[in-house]
Amino acid sequence: MTQASALKPSLYTVPEGADAVPALRGGRCVCGHVFFPMQTYGCEKCGRTGKALQPVLLAGTGQLVASARVLMHARKDRQAPFTVVSVRLDEGPVLRTLLAQDSAAPLPSGLRMRATLVEVGRADTGEPIIDLRFAAAA
Ligand SMILES: [Zn+2]
């Protein structure tokens, strides 16, 4: 069995099983504000710091807020076209990420989305390198 390596393991968990939705490593303040990614610098809502902010796993599901298709990119290692999406997680935070598969068709805001892991390259050892993306929920 080939071991996969997560590109940004501090941001999400890599679940067992092909259909498992990755959980996102967010945080919650004692005031109730939920944010992503986890940090202890300060709550964006009330300003509390440190232990007032605790890690919480977010479900990795939400709604599409906006999308933009990139047809050309200045960096040669960024293969266009690709689609950038803003997703409001069910717990509240909005994150900007990439669509798992580029889409030429416009995406309706409000579309149900789910986190997924895609292979973005190969390590020197041959093991797949995976990273977080979002896709329309089936
Ligand atoms: Zn707070």
Side-chain angles (χ1 to χ4, degrees):
M1 184 175 142
T2 309
Q3 190 73 21
S5 170
L7 193 59
K8 298 167 194 138
S10 65
L11 296 182
Y12 48 84
T13 64
V14 179
E16 300 282 331
D19 291 338
V21 177
L24 307 182
R25 298 185 189 280
R28 182 189 309 273
C29 177
V30 292
C31 78
H33 182 65
V34 178
F35 51 90
F36 174 83
M38 175 57 194
Q39 50 84 15
T40 55
Y41 303 116
C43 174
E44 298 157 308
K45 193 171 176 188
C46 74
R48 287 185 178 96
T49 60
K51 292 200 185 317
L53 310 171
Q54 292 294 317
V56 61
L57 285 179
L58 307 174
T61 54
Q63 288 191 333
L64 182 69
V65 175
S67 66
R69 191 165 189 236
V70 177
L71 299 176
M72 289 187 356
H73 198 279
R75 282 177 50 178
K76 299 288 182 214
D77 61 331
R78 293 286 176 93
Q79 197 170 18
F82 57 89
T83 303
V84 181
V85 292
S86 292
V87 176
R88 182 180 306 281
L89 299 176
D90 290 335
E91 295 88 345
V94 176
L95 64 100
R96 188 170 300 149
T97 181
L98 296 176
L99 200 63
Q101 285 197 311
D102 175 53
S103 171
L107 301 170
S109 62
L111 183 69
R112 290 295 301 166
M113 305 289 287
R114 58 171 268 182
T116 186
L117 295 169
V118 299
E119 185 178 323
V120 295
R122 290 270 170 176
D124 293 340
T125 57
E127 75 180 17
I129 299 170
I130 56 172
D131 198 17
L132 188 74
R133 298 287 186 269
F134 269 73

